[in-house]
Amino acid sequence: MNDASPASASNSMEMLEFSLQGLRCANCAARVEKTLNELPGVEAAVNFASEKAYVRLAENSELTAGQIIDAVAALGYQAMPSGQETHAAEQARKQETHRAELRQFWIAAALTLPLMLQMGAMFSGATHPGGQGHDVLPRWWQFMLATPVQFWIGRRFYVGAWHSLHGGSGNMDVLVALGTSMAWGFSTVVTVFGLQEQHVYFEASASVMTLVLLGKILEARAKASASAALDALIRLQPQTALVEKDGVTLEMPVSRMLPGDVFIVRPGDSVPVDGTVLSGESMVNEAMLTGESLPIAKLDGDPVYAATVNGDALLRCRASGVGSQTRLAGIIRLVEEAQGSKAPVQRLVDQVSAIFVPAVVMAAVLTFAGWWWLAGDFPRALVNAVAVLVIACPCALGLATPTAIMVGTGRGAREGVLVRDAEALEMAGRVRILAVDKTGTLTQGKPVVTDVLPLEGVEKSTLLRVAATLEQGTSHPLAAAVTNCATAENVNPGVLADLSAIPGKGVRGKVDGLPCLLGSPAFLAEEGVVLPETLCQTLQAAARSLVGVACEGRALGVLAVADPLRASTPAAVARLGALGVEVVMLSGDNARTAAAVAKEAGITRFQAELLPEEKTRALAMFKAELASQKSSQKASVGMVGDGINDAPALAAADVGFAMGGGSDVAMKTAGITLMRDDLNHVATAIELSRATLAKIRQNLFFAFFYNVLGIPLAAFGMLDPVVAGAAMALSSVSVVTNSLLLRRR
């Protein structure tokens, strides 16, 4: 597969999603994935656990969805376009397939049960009255019972094996079909030619087929549980809404709503689409999106989001985001892409799976040859070879990683932690140094002017007028604080011209025709304007950010701005420290202010007066620091930010964490988005990552241990094919069940 996963590929590529049918094991998924990635302009990932293919088409690609479906069909599998709108149809189709498989299983069980009783009688020493050794059932009866199970019930395995071998690879179907066919074929020859001295193994072939089918049924149920979180998100979407049309309130499908529609949300109802409150006051429960248990007050002008639940008052709102443009739809899309991506640890599994089936077939051949040559016992050699083929089916190996990823990302979505891809999830667990922006991350991100300090001979209103005029043309976080202060003091801005911003420093422009400056004391000093040093030091020591103002080369005064620390920040920093994560603050503020904020937050290391590009260099330094520590070779550097200026640093980090209330640029750049502006969610994401990686390691150990132990036992004649079939079926279910334990974390 190409190195870029669908989840991390360029936004210039179109994403397509397909539901797959016919995948039997990880090798099937790998085969489909390889074929799709060989198509021009395609980046694809196939998730065996969810039975989905995620395909990105390059901007200039001429491939169509139909051509992709045809490519999958040529391999012997079915592909159908998938999405939120097809979810109900996909679920119905899976349920119908499940019912058909269940019917086949009960038929197979009914035919196999007499054969199993025959095997039990054989072990008990019972004999057939006609003298056929240990056969209680006549062999022709056994033949008639086993043959429908072998070729009717087992047809799916033969079809899958044919398509797999025709494509030049092997999968689980090859092992099952080959193993059971050997047992059935030998038994049939013995029966047809009346070789009474030889034992028949019809019970082995039929039992293995039946148990493998049972295992697939149980596996399908377990995989459905693994995707339950995503299904729950999809079900959150309301189907109808109360919409005002021409003065009349009508109930209409949500799918027909358009941006600008005015809709009504009654008490206790779910909000149908994203919108803005026009009238009404109510408390809205947003726990399904953010994980926040406390309802949020909504007033005129406040945003509301689809699937959130209104409290005890009526709200009248205007739609702003509908269909795929709602926040809920974005969350579902992100979770789907994360569940379809591959963690770096999966690459080893893929490499092993590619050679696994040929290796198992070789092991079975050697087992057969060894027993026949050394012991001279053809039937025993055959049985042991069949056991090797059956016990080694690689289903558990293929499910080990994707099921854990599915459950982990689903749990994260419920807790307000949205993971972009599996690589970000894996890297989050390895974070040892976490760089954090100050404004909006550690602090509330809503600065207020605490002091307006004009210098001697300068009117307070003059100072505010110049400051407000210069700030009205910028998007700096402090700008709103300055303009709000001027408004509160009934000071109107002047006429602004020739505004130019100096990133990380300040702005210059003409106010009422006069050249003016606004920015940090250091910036003003560079321009030849010096502010009173004692005044600046006193304010900075009190964790105030300073905005100096000058006009015509003369200092007018200083505005002191405070951005209060979030109440949860000190506890979050302590929690991260307990996880072995060092929090380092990166700030563009002056050193004294940064030191005061860091001390209040419980942070011991910080860097101040940094420009955006200098934050990126700081991250590179942290990476080099970890690389120099032999014990931290797999450690990673994380970055938490919320603003546009944080985007380069978020991209430069091993894994970026974006505050959900921040800019769209930051959230698109980061690997993990936190739906609540709370540093505690970073700790939650790290804990979730580590728990998920632990489950993956447990699953892989179990899958490898199962095969490493089972194959030798079967080869040395210590494992009956029927027992091997049961063990193989249970191994897959056990791996998925272990992944599901993440839901109880």
Side-chain angles (χ1 to χ4, degrees):
M1 177 182 172
N2 300 337
D3 292 337
S5 69
S8 61
S10 169
N11 291 329
S12 65
M13 304 178 75
E14 179 187 2
M15 169 65 107
L16 300 177
E17 181 181 331
F18 298 90
S19 176
L20 301 175
Q21 285 186 290
L23 299 183
R24 307 287 190 226
C25 65
N27 283 7
C28 299
R31 189 163 159 248
V32 174
E33 183 175 282
K34 180 182 178 183
T35 299
L36 293 178
N37 278 303
E38 289 174 349
L39 298 175
V42 167
E43 293 179 0
V46 176
N47 189 318
F48 172 51
S50 64
E51 298 179 335
K52 293 287 186 70
Y54 303 87
V55 179
R56 284 194 183 271
L57 299 179
E59 191 173 10
N60 58 352
S61 177
E62 297 181 356
L63 281 175
T64 64
Q67 290 173 305
I68 293 172
I69 291 172
D70 291 341
V72 174
L75 299 175
Y77 309 102
Q78 288 183 282
M80 289 154 287
S82 178
Q84 297 174 33
E85 64 281 357
T86 64
H87 180 74
E90 289 176 25
Q91 293 298 105
R93 186 171 59 249
K94 286 184 178 181
Q95 290 174 4
E96 179 56 35
T97 301
H98 175 74
R99 285 193 291 268
E101 289 184 338
L102 201 59
R103 287 194 297 269
Q104 289 191 347
F105 165 74
W106 286 117
I107 295 172
L111 295 172
T112 303
L113 183 59
L115 297 173
M116 296 294 293
L117 296 174
Q118 147 76 21
M119 185 173 67
M122 179 188 72
F123 287 124
S124 69
T127 60
H128 186 270
Q132 294 182 330
H134 294 291
D135 294 323
V136 175
L137 285 176
R139 291 182 173 181
W140 281 106
W141 287 23
Q142 296 181 48
F143 170 81
M144 288 186 289
L145 289 169
T147 300
V149 178
Q150 184 70 36
F151 297 104
W152 178 50
I153 303 296
R155 180 179 178 275
R156 53 185 290 173
F157 300 107
Y158 285 99
V159 173
W162 165 252
H163 286 301
S164 179
L165 293 174
H166 187 258
S169 65
N171 63 1
M172 181 202 76
D173 292 340
V174 173
L175 300 180
V176 173
L178 184 58
T180 57
S181 294
M182 289 169 60
W184 180 90
F186 174 79
S187 301
T188 299
V189 170
V190 169
T191 300
V192 171
F193 290 96
L195 305 177
Q196 300 299 329
E197 69 280 3
Q198 298 287 352
H199 185 66
V200 293
Y201 298 96
F202 288 117
E203 78 281 349
S205 66
S207 298
V208 168
M209 282 288 189
T210 303
L211 288 169
V212 171
L213 183 57
L214 175 62
K216 300 305 292 182
I217 292 172
L218 296 176
E219 179 187 303
R221 285 189 175 182
K223 289 194 297 186
S225 298
S227 62
L230 180 59
D231 293 339
L233 284 173
I234 294 173
R235 287 195 299 270
L236 285 175
Q237 300 177 104
Q239 299 302 307
T240 61
L242 295 175
V243 181
E244 291 185 359
K245 292 287 187 182
D246 300 324
V248 180
T249 302
L250 303 173
E251 186 173 5
M252 65 167 20
V254 171
S255 58
R256 291 174 52 192
M257 291 186 66
L258 299 173
D261 283 347
V262 176
F263 61 92
I264 306 296
V265 188
R266 296 173 299 194
D269 285 355
S270 295
V271 179
V273 296
D274 291 0
T276 303
V277 177
L278 296 177
S279 61
E281 298 181 6
S282 187
M283 303 295 290
V284 176
N285 186 348
E286 297 183 347
M288 60 292 298
L289 297 185
T290 66
E292 174 60 66
S293 58
L294 296 177
I296 308 297
K298 298 294 181 181
L299 310 175
D300 292 3
D302 287 342
V304 290
Y305 303 105
T308 58
V309 180
N310 188 21
D312 55 4
L314 187 138
L315 291 175
R316 184 170 176 267
C317 311
R318 185 181 302 279
S320 57
V322 301
S324 62
Q325 302 305 310
T326 66
R327 175 172 285 197
L328 176 63
I331 292 173
I332 293 172
R333 193 160 49 247
L334 200 60
V335 173
E336 285 179 332
E337 291 192 12
Q339 293 187 345
S341 64
K342 288 190 177 184
V345 71
Q346 180 68 22
R347 294 167 190 157
L348 173 62
V349 178
D350 291 342
Q351 292 171 357
V352 172
S353 298
I355 62 172
F356 192 79
V357 172
V360 170
V361 173
M362 181 58 65
V365 171
L366 292 175
T367 298
F368 178 81
W371 276 93
W372 194 11
W373 181 52
L374 295 175
D377 190 342
F378 181 87
R380 188 65 182 271
L382 179 70
V383 170
N384 292 341
V386 171
V388 169
L389 290 170
V390 173
I391 195 67
C393 288
C395 295
L397 194 62
L399 291 167
T401 299
T403 54
I405 295 293
M406 289 173 66
V407 178
T409 54
R411 181 179 179 90
R414 292 200 306 273
E415 296 187 3
V417 177
L418 301 183
V419 182
R420 181 175 298 278
D421 55 39
E423 184 173 3
L425 183 65
E426 182 171 332
M427 295 301 295
R430 298 176 179 174
V431 170
R432 293 295 178 269
I433 295 179
L434 182 69
V436 298
D437 178 51
K438 177 178 73 69
T439 304
T441 303
L442 298 176
T443 64
Q444 295 178 11
K446 298 178 180 178
V448 293
V449 176
T450 59
D451 302 276
V452 181
L453 303 172
L455 298 183
E456 186 176 353
V458 179
E459 296 289 334
K460 180 179 180 181
S461 60
T462 302
L463 174 61
L464 280 174
R465 178 180 174 84
V466 173
T469 304
L470 290 171
E471 290 284 44
Q472 71 178 354
T474 72
S475 59
H476 192 277
L478 301 183
V482 174
T483 56
N484 289 339
C485 178
T487 301
E489 295 287 337
N490 295 316
V491 175
N492 296 318
V495 179
L496 178 64
D498 300 335
L499 182 71
S500 62
I502 297 87
K505 295 182 178 182
V507 297
R508 59 165 61 91
K510 290 183 178 180
V511 178
D512 298 330
L514 301 176
C516 298
L517 297 171
L518 179 146
S520 66
F523 171 59
L524 265 64
E526 291 177 4
E527 300 294 323
V529 180
V530 180
L531 297 170
E533 186 175 354
T534 303
L535 175 64
C536 292
Q537 290 178 351
T538 302
L539 292 172
Q540 289 168 349
R544 299 292 190 266
S545 297
L546 303 186
V547 179
V549 184
C551 191
E552 295 186 297
R554 173 191 171 213
L556 298 182
V558 177
L559 303 180
V561 182
D563 187 7
L565 203 69
R566 295 184 187 275
S568 60
T569 293
V573 171
R575 182 181 171 190
L576 287 163
L579 293 172
V581 178
E582 180 188 8
V583 180
V584 182
M585 186 180 78
L586 303 181
S587 175
D589 219 329
N590 66 84
R592 291 191 183 91
T593 301
V597 173
K599 182 180 180 180
E600 186 180 358
I603 296 172
T604 57
R605 186 160 51 141
F606 67 91
Q607 295 185 27
E609 301 178 15
L610 297 178
L611 298 175
E613 60 270 20
E614 292 174 328
K615 292 182 180 181
T616 302
R617 288 198 287 271
L619 290 171
M621 182 188 70
F622 297 151
K623 290 181 181 181
E625 178 184 326
L626 290 177
S628 65
Q629 304 173 13
K630 294 184 179 179
S631 61
S632 302
Q633 290 182 352
K634 292 186 177 180
S636 64
V637 175
M639 171 71 193
V640 188
D642 70 328
I644 295 175
N645 63 315
D646 296 323
L650 289 169
D654 293 318
V655 57
F657 301 84
M659 295 292 194
S663 70
D664 290 341
V665 174
M667 288 188 284
K668 289 178 181 179
T669 306
I672 295 175
T673 298
L674 312 174
M675 297 304 294
R676 276 194 285 168
D677 294 339
D678 187 342
L679 201 60
N680 272 298
H681 263 38
V682 178
T684 299
I686 292 172
E687 290 173 343
L688 178 65
S689 169
R690 293 180 181 179
T692 303
L693 289 176
K695 286 299 177 187
I696 290 174
R697 286 192 290 268
Q698 293 169 11
N699 289 346
L700 290 176
F701 172 80
F702 177 80
F704 279 115
F705 178 79
Y706 159 80
N707 284 301
V708 168
L709 180 64
I711 292 175
L713 287 176
F716 286 104
M718 303 172 66
L719 206 60
D720 185 88
V722 177
V723 177
M728 186 273 289
L730 291 174
S731 66
S732 299
V733 178
S734 299
V735 164
V736 180
T737 302
N738 187 49
S739 295
L740 290 173
L741 294 177
L742 277 170
R743 295 161 65 178
R744 303 180 182 179
R745 187 180 63 84

